[in-house]
Amino acid sequence: MLISKESIFLNENLASQEEVFHFIAQKAVVLDVSADENAVYNGLVEREQQGTTGMMDGFAIPHAKSSAITAPKIVIVRLNEGIDWNSMDGKPTLFIFSLLIPDGEAGTTHLKLLATVARMLMKADVKEALLGARTVDQLEEVLNSHLGA
């Protein structure tokens, strides 16, 4: 399953993009989608250096493709306070959807997921529901109803 309760983290106190990437990399190991935390972290950083993954209205979609990632997974992090992400609208980022993709699925799974998440985040009602979700269960319900997981 791409999204599971175990991969949703609410109310995190992370102060920078770097801290968020380290957090996601640590969780990738805990969630058993990678054994190499550094490779995941470096994959996220390298992708970000190609251009910001900060979207609009406080959302970001950082992603990593790596041979160190063994299964596709979406790790979701909602921060207590927005952080600078060089986002398209200049607003702080509060909500991070991180796509972790194995190298072998880079062209297919990765692009489909990215397009699906990006489309979902363009809908005002979905953004409101995501921002309004107070529990992991509520958030999972919103996501699964809109991602068709």
Side-chain angles (χ1 to χ4, degrees):
M1 239 178 38
L2 286 172
I3 296 175
S4 59
K5 288 180 189 166
E6 297 76 35
S7 65
I8 299 174
F9 304 92
L10 301 182
N11 308 317
E12 294 297 328
N13 288 309
L14 302 167
S16 67
Q17 199 177 60
E18 183 183 356
E19 281 185 28
V20 170
F21 289 167
H22 278 296
F23 180 86
I24 292 166
Q26 288 164 358
K27 297 306 177 192
V29 173
V30 172
L31 293 164
D32 204 27
V33 295
S34 180
D36 188 341
E37 187 180 314
N38 284 335
V40 175
Y41 172 79
N42 290 333
L44 290 164
V45 170
E46 284 166 22
R47 170 55 193 87
E48 201 64 34
Q49 287 169 346
Q50 295 168 18
T52 186
T53 57
M55 306 291 284
M56 309 283 277
D57 303 316
F59 289 87
I61 314 176
H63 39 287
K65 296 178 295 221
S66 172
S67 56
I69 298 170
T70 53
K73 193 72 167 170
I74 300 179
V75 176
I76 295 158
V77 182
R78 188 168 71 197
L79 304 173
N80 277 328
E81 293 189 24
I83 58 172
D84 181 39
W85 202 282
N86 192 24
S87 54
M88 292 178 192
D89 60 3
K91 291 181 182 171
T93 290
L94 194 65
F95 227 114
I96 295 110
F97 286 79
S98 183
L99 312 183
L100 304 177
I101 309 293
D103 257 352
E105 298 181 40
T108 54
T109 307
H110 175 241
L111 295 173
K112 275 190 213 148
L113 268 179
L114 194 56
T116 303
V117 172
R119 266 196 311 273
M120 178 183 78
L121 295 180
M122 286 178 196
K123 297 178 183 163
D125 59 325
V126 176
K127 287 190 281 199
E128 277 175 39
L130 291 170
L131 291 167
R134 291 287 158 245
T135 66
V136 169
D137 286 341
Q138 288 174 339
L139 193 58
E140 183 189 38
E141 196 175 305
V142 172
L143 291 168
N144 284 332
S145 68
H146 290 282
L147 286 176

